[in-house]
Amino acid sequence: MVTEGLKPAAAPGRPTVSIALCTCNGERYIEPLLASLSRQTVLPNELVIGDDASDDTTLSILQRFARSAPFPVRIAARRERLGHAPNFLATARDCAGEWIAFADQDDVWFDSKLAEAQAVIAADRDLLLVNQRALLCDEELKPRTNALFPADSHPGRHDSPHRPLPLVWPGFLMTVKARLLHDFDPDLRPWLPADGAKIGHGRWSFLLAAALGSYFVTDAPSAWYRRHPAALTGDYRPIKAATDFRTRNLATLQDHSDYAEAAAECLARLADLAVEPTDSLRFEAAAQDYSRAAQALGRRAGIYTAPTLPERLGAMLAANRQGAYFGPSLCAGGARAAAKDAAAALGL
C-alpha cells in the first residue's frame, strides 16, 4: 500500500467521503479521470485505489498522481488479479470514510459531482445510498446523446418497497454508506446463473441499502459516462434484435426471476447473520419481498410458455394478483409490462 499526501480536515457537519477507484490496464483513459477528481469543488477525504495487476503504465501514472494530488492517495498494487467486482469490494473495505464514492478508470466526473452527493447526504442523514446520473459520450468524450443515463431513474428519495426490479445503475454513480460494505460479507452476494458470477459491487450496494433503509436519486448529470469497445459493460450501441419480442421478454423475465430468487436467499442468510436486531428484521422483510417478486415474475414468464389462450390469460391474472404490474410491489412493471404480456397472451 502506497500512501501520499496529508489528510484534508473534514468540514463541520460534512460527512467524510472516500473515493474507491479500481484500475486494470487503464493507461489510455485514466489521466482525465484523475484530473477530474482533483477539480472537485469539495475534495474527498482520501482516494483509495485498487490496481488489479496492471501490466501497462497505469501504476506509474497513479504513483505520479499521488505525489501531487490535493488529497491523500493510497494505492494497493495487487500482484494477482482479483477481477472487477472483488477488486472494488476489497478496495471499498480499505476506505476510512463514512461514505464511499465508487470511481471507474475511464469516466470523467463533473467538478460538482462529489459536492452534490455530499449535499444530499448532509440534508438527509437517514440515507444509505445516493445514485447520481450521467451523460453518455464516446471514447473521445464527445456527447452521444443529451439524454440522462439511466433514463428511467425516478428522481428523489425512495423508501421501502423501493423501485421495480431489476436495478441497472453504474457503480461509479453511487455514493454508499461505508458501513454497508464493511459490516456485511461480500462473499454472501447472490450468484446469477445467467452471468456465471456473483452480482457486482453496484448491485450489492443497492441490495443492502434498499433492504435496510432509503436511498436518493439526483436529477442532474454528474459525469461523462465514456462508452468504448473495450468497456467492461459494453459500448451501448444499438444492436438489432435477432429474436422476436416474446423470446426476448421470456429470457428477461427468467433472468429477473432468477435474480429475485437469489436475492431472497441472500437476504434471508443476512437476516440470520446480522448482529443488529433491526438489520435482521429488515433483511427478513426484504427477503419476503424478493420471494414474492420471484413468484410474480415466474407467473409472467408462464404467459410466454403456456400453450393455450386460457392458460396464458390465467397466468396473467395470477401475475396481476401478485402485484406484477401495478401497486407498491417490488416487481410492479407498470402499464408497459402489462401491455407486452397481454399481447403475448392474446398471441398478437
Side-chain angles (χ1 to χ4, degrees):
M1 179 75 74
V2 178
T3 305
E4 299 283 350
L6 299 174
K7 185 174 183 179
R14 179 179 293 161
T16 57
V17 178
S18 301
I19 296 177
L21 166 64
C22 288
T23 60
C24 182
N25 292 340
E27 63 181 5
R28 183 174 181 182
Y29 301 118
I30 188 66
E31 291 183 279
L33 179 275
L34 295 172
S36 73
L37 301 186
S38 292
R39 292 194 303 267
Q40 293 300 296
T41 56
V42 173
L43 295 174
N45 291 84
E46 64 175 358
L47 169 63
V48 182
I49 304 171
D51 182 70
D52 209 17
S54 291
D55 53 19
D56 61 1
T57 63
T58 298
L59 191 55
S60 63
I61 294 171
L62 296 173
Q63 291 168 338
R64 183 169 63 250
F65 173 78
R67 291 192 287 270
S68 61
F71 40 73
V73 178
R74 294 188 285 134
I75 304 170
R78 311 198 192 284
R79 295 183 178 181
E80 295 184 2
R81 194 157 290 174
L82 297 180
H84 184 70
N87 188 25
F88 259 112
L89 291 165
T91 302
R93 287 162 77 90
D94 284 338
C95 291
E98 300 168 89
W99 287 78
I100 298 169
F102 294 120
D104 288 347
Q105 65 184 10
D106 50 3
D107 303 309
V108 176
W109 288 18
F110 290 4
D111 295 357
S112 59
K113 182 180 186 298
L114 202 56
E116 291 169 358
Q118 285 199 329
V120 172
I121 294 165
D124 189 346
R125 293 289 185 165
D126 292 332
L127 293 174
L128 295 176
L129 178 70
V130 177
N131 282 340
Q132 294 175 278
R133 302 173 78 187
L135 291 173
L136 290 173
C137 63
D138 65 16
E139 57 188 320
E140 302 301 328
L141 296 180
K142 295 178 181 177
R144 184 179 290 181
T145 173
N146 290 323
L148 289 174
F149 181 89
D152 182 22
S153 64
H154 305 288
R157 176 174 169 144
H158 293 254
D159 301 302
S160 181
H162 311 294
R163 61 172 289 152
L165 289 169
L167 172 80
V168 180
W169 211 285
F172 86 98
L173 294 174
M174 290 183 169
T175 303
V176 59
K177 189 82 169 182
R179 86 140 178 129
L180 299 183
L181 301 173
H182 291 309
D183 289 358
F184 304 107
D185 185 356
D187 287 343
L188 296 176
R189 288 174 293 144
W191 175 273
L192 298 183
D195 296 341
K198 294 184 178 182
I199 62 173
H201 61 287
R203 182 169 274 191
W204 174 240
S205 298
F206 176 81
L207 183 66
L208 295 173
L212 293 178
S214 301
Y215 66 96
F216 192 92
V217 178
T218 63
D219 195 24
S222 65
W224 288 112
Y225 189 18
R226 194 197 301 261
R227 299 288 78 204
H228 55 91
L232 185 67
T233 51
D235 191 43
Y236 287 14
R237 293 287 184 186
I239 299 174
K240 186 176 181 180
T243 56
D244 64 82
F245 90 94
R246 294 176 185 80
T247 302
R248 294 196 304 272
N249 285 359
L250 175 59
T252 298
L253 288 168
Q254 289 173 333
D255 285 348
H256 294 179
S257 179
D258 288 344
Y259 171 65
E261 185 175 355
E265 293 175 359
C266 167
L267 291 163
R269 178 66 172 155
L270 288 168
D272 290 339
L273 297 174
V275 175
E276 296 294 331
T278 301
D279 288 349
S280 180
L281 290 173
R282 289 177 176 173
F283 278 137
E284 183 177 356
Q288 293 172 0
D289 287 342
Y290 275 92
S291 181
R292 285 191 290 268
Q295 294 174 22
L297 290 162
R299 293 284 190 182
R300 286 188 61 195
I303 299 168
Y304 295 81
T305 58
T308 68
L309 176 62
E311 289 174 305
R312 293 193 295 270
L313 292 175
M316 187 169 181
L317 289 173
N320 185 56
R321 286 194 296 270
Q322 290 184 315
Y325 304 113
F326 306 105
S329 171
L330 180 70
C331 59
R336 186 176 179 182
K340 287 181 179 180
D341 289 358
L346 297 172
L348 301 179

